[in-house]
Amino acid sequence: MLKIQNYINGQLTAPISKQYIDNYDPSTGKVYSLLPDSDELDVSQAVEAAKKAFPAWSMMPKDNRAAILLRISALIDQNLERLAKAESKDNGKPVSLARTVDIPRASSNFHFYATGILHYASHAHSMEDTAINYTLRNPVGVAGCISPWNLPLYLFSWKIAPALAAGNCVVAKPSEITPMTAYLLSELCIEAGLPPGVLNIVHGYGHKVGSAITAHPEIPLISFTGGTKTGAEIARVAAPMFKKLSLELGGKNPNLIFADCDYEAMLSTTMRSSFANQGQICLCGSRILIERSLYEKFKADFVAKTKKMTVGNPADDNTKMGAVVSKQHMEKILSYIELAKQEGGKILCGGERVMLEGGLADGYYIAPTIIEGLPYDCRTNQEEIFGPVVTIMPFDTEADALKYANSTIYGLASTVWTENLTRAHRIASELHTGIVWINCWLLRDLRTPFGGVKSSGVGREGGFEALDFFTEPKNVCIKLK
Ligand code: TXE
């Protein structure tokens, strides 16, 4: 059985403990590979390697750093099919999604920041004829990057690419639930000629490897995407050490649908924003609020379309809905469906595990689920489920819609469907979310600030915001006379 290896100091290595963790294929429920059960000793080695590599990498001319990152991007493109299949097998997502979204985006992340660093400039502040200040933007040293399982290579590279482009060395940990494409990336980094120690990938559990990265005194910066609880734990450890933190956490995103919307565009996009990646995207809209006059029509069409979605083998090119990521996560989602019933919700479709046949019989499949009849403030409508489960709710006035939308502890993204331009702008300014999509969803420009407010996180990724995060500003003041 394939043994995934750590990538430390340019070498693929076994964990010091020699222990491995089972890695499951969610489509079959079977173990199909093993990953290192690393601990703080492996993290220490990775930090040493990163420290050793830092002077040369940070002083390397930007163009040369960019050239290496562009080679990684090109190698991801050349290996698109292999990486897409690996991502699908490891995560349960449809291979077509990995092929068109996850892997191309991982390549774009490297491409974007390889070129972005060439255009990154710092400020100067003139004090008339008294003095001039200029800001140096230096890499911080060793950056810690911790990523989740829902978009494995996509989110892993979203952190690593800007960190490396800015001249940092990195100690990174992919999710133990989906380690495969990060491992394949380490092979591509070797092939691309990334100098040893510049990027180190340590596999293993969050409570061992993740917490060792967070607590390591020589990692002054942590970039994390994952659950809100884990984010709080990382902040608790990192805050007294005064580490720089970027936390991209959970969401409970509202879709606000007004009766004057472009109905067909809204309906097809709402299908995607509800169920893409089995609903396991932090940006998925899981609370669908519909103006009352449109409610019954929307409900009938949305339920009919959802009932036609078939759950199938992620490896099949035609599958649109695959497996959820793990047994534990499947059980969590199913327990939320039970909670919704207890809270008085009516299941309009789905609501159960799907049992496929043959080799897929033990896979983790859940039917796309729509629930109605719940108040906006019940647990089902307040807590992140992170699966193919949405609630629908009517509203009467714009004020009600905003009240429901802004009622959770989260504030990552929201979607508004209306043809009324002034209403769109008005609502956008009143939604408590870091991202507002008007008449679209998941339309991404990598230059824009990406992140949430409230319990959805701290800091922004994307564009020059990420390069600001991965560098430390230093002001130099020169007196002129
Ligand atoms: O995330 P975790 P999990 C949400 C979603 C999901 C819940 C839990 O609601 O059901 O979070 O998912 C590492 N110190 N999202 O358990 O545990 C861990 O190994 C340092 C939202 O998978 O937060 C992994 O690499 N690191 C989300 C990473 O943190 C630790 C995406 C994320 O895992 C650690 C995924 C610790 N103490 C889940 N404990 C989004 N917003 O995109 C764990 N980790």
Side-chain angles (χ1 to χ4, degrees):
M1 193 173 291
L2 173 72
K3 275 188 178 162
I4 288 171
Q5 302 293 288
N6 288 331
Y7 172 49
I8 296 175
N9 202 22
Q11 307 282 324
L12 298 175
T13 56
I16 293 168
S17 70
K18 302 275 183 285
Q19 300 300 307
Y20 285 82
I21 303 167
D22 289 341
N23 187 28
Y24 287 83
D25 172 349
S27 75
T28 61
K30 304 276 186 296
V31 175
Y32 83 103
S33 61
L34 301 169
L35 69 133
D37 183 4
S38 314
D39 56 32
E40 73 276 9
L41 298 177
D42 305 272
V43 171
S44 287
Q45 276 195 350
V47 173
E48 285 311 310
K51 274 168 48 191
K52 208 169 91 214
F54 179 70
W57 180 250
S58 57
M59 295 311 288
M60 183 185 277
K62 286 179 190 55
D63 290 281
N64 299 15
R65 277 207 306 268
I68 295 174
L69 298 180
L70 286 172
R71 280 207 291 278
I72 297 174
S73 168
L75 283 168
I76 293 174
D77 291 339
Q78 284 164 32
N79 287 274
L80 170 70
E81 195 55 28
R82 190 164 73 96
L83 289 165
K85 285 189 170 138
E87 199 74 294
S88 168
K89 194 172 179 59
D90 214 28
N91 171 279
K93 67 178 68 213
V95 68
S96 58
L97 187 72
R99 190 184 284 133
T100 54
V101 177
D102 293 75
I103 308 305
R105 174 60 190 276
S107 164
S108 297
N109 289 340
F110 280 103
H111 192 276
F112 180 81
Y113 280 108
T115 51
I117 194 66
L118 305 178
H119 303 264
Y120 184 55
S122 61
H123 292 104
H125 300 87
S126 162
M127 298 168 75
E128 291 74 44
D129 60 355
T130 313
I132 175 115
N133 298 272
Y134 62 85
T135 310
L136 291 172
R137 281 261 165 204
N138 296 322
V140 295
V142 182
C145 298
I146 303 174
S147 60
W149 47 258
N150 58 331
L151 302 165
L153 193 61
Y154 174 136
L155 290 177
F156 193 62
S157 52
W158 183 230
K159 299 181 179 308
I160 288 168
L164 295 178
N168 300 284
C169 292
V170 171
V171 175
K173 190 196 102 60
S175 171
E176 64 275 26
I177 303 170
T178 53
M180 187 57 81
T181 48
Y183 170 60
L184 299 177
L185 178 71
S186 52
E187 293 180 341
L188 299 182
C189 289
I190 295 170
E191 197 179 335
L194 189 69
V198 168
L199 170 63
N200 304 275
I201 302 177
V202 186
H203 292 272
Y205 290 119
H207 67 271
K208 289 190 183 175
V209 177
S211 55
I213 290 174
T214 309
H216 200 291
E218 290 179 282
I219 300 182
L221 171 154
I222 305 285
S223 173
F224 169 79
T225 299
T228 294
K229 256 196 188 152
T230 314
E233 169 62 14
I234 288 174
R236 192 187 62 76
V237 174
M241 301 174 85
F242 307 111
K243 296 194 178 200
K244 244 181 147 179
L245 275 185
S246 166
L247 303 173
E248 292 300 333
L249 310 175
K252 187 76 180 173
N253 308 310
N255 289 10
L256 285 70
I257 300 173
F258 288 87
D260 69 352
C261 67
D262 175 342
Y263 188 76
E264 290 308 320
M266 177 279 294
L267 190 61
S268 60
T269 305
T270 302
M271 291 297 296
R272 277 200 310 121
S273 67
S274 302
F275 302 122
N277 205 37
Q278 296 69 246
Q280 302 165 131
I281 303 180
C282 51
L283 305 165
C284 277
S286 53
R287 294 180 295 145
I288 306 179
L289 312 172
I290 308 108
E291 195 167 5
R292 195 175 295 277
S293 59
L294 190 68
Y295 185 78
E296 290 302 328
K297 176 175 165 55
F298 171 79
K299 175 173 136 182
D301 291 343
F302 186 46
V303 170
K305 260 186 177 294
T306 303
K307 279 185 174 162
K308 281 196 201 132
M309 280 189 94
T310 49
V311 175
N313 185 354
D316 184 337
D317 276 342
N318 297 317
T319 296
K320 294 275 182 297
M321 185 90 185
V324 299
V325 77
S326 67
K327 182 155 185 282
Q328 196 192 16
H329 193 55
M330 175 179 71
E331 283 163 0
K332 175 188 156 184
I333 297 167
L334 291 172
S335 78
Y336 267 105
I337 295 173
E338 280 313 305
L339 173 72
K341 289 185 203 159
Q342 283 163 23
E343 290 185 318
K346 182 173 167 201
I347 310 291
L348 299 174
C349 63
E352 69 216 345
R353 183 174 179 182
V354 175
M355 306 304 292
L356 298 182
E357 312 228 298
L360 307 177
D362 293 328
Y364 316 133
Y365 300 95
I366 296 184
T369 300
I370 305 173
I371 305 171
E372 76 164 350
L374 287 170
Y376 74 92
D377 54 356
C378 67
R379 280 185 59 203
T380 308
N381 271 327
Q382 293 290 314
E383 297 177 16
E384 186 182 39
I385 301 175
F386 216 60
V389 179
V390 297
T391 61
I392 59 173
M393 240 178 308
F395 66 83
D396 291 304
T397 63
E398 203 177 293
D400 284 347
L402 276 167
K403 178 174 142 189
Y404 304 160
N406 288 334
S407 67
T408 73
I409 59 165
Y410 297 107
L412 187 52
S414 50
T415 304
V416 182
W417 290 93
T418 181
E419 292 294 290
N420 180 332
L421 183 66
T422 43
R423 170 157 62 200
H425 287 298
R426 189 168 58 236
I427 292 191
S429 78
E430 293 190 27
L431 282 164
H432 303 164
T433 58
I435 300 158
V436 181
W437 276 295
I438 310 280
N439 298 330
C440 58
W441 177 70
L442 204 48
L443 190 53
R444 292 280 293 118
D445 179 329
L446 301 189
R447 294 170 301 177
T448 60
F450 178 88
V453 298
K454 303 196 278 184
S455 295
S456 288
V458 176
R460 292 291 179 274
E461 299 186 301
F464 291 147
E465 305 257 351
L467 295 176
D468 284 349
F469 174 69
F470 283 110
T471 54
E472 197 69 83
K474 180 195 284 178
N475 188 66
V476 180
C477 177
I478 307 161
K479 194 162 182 292
L480 296 178
K481 356 182 187 161

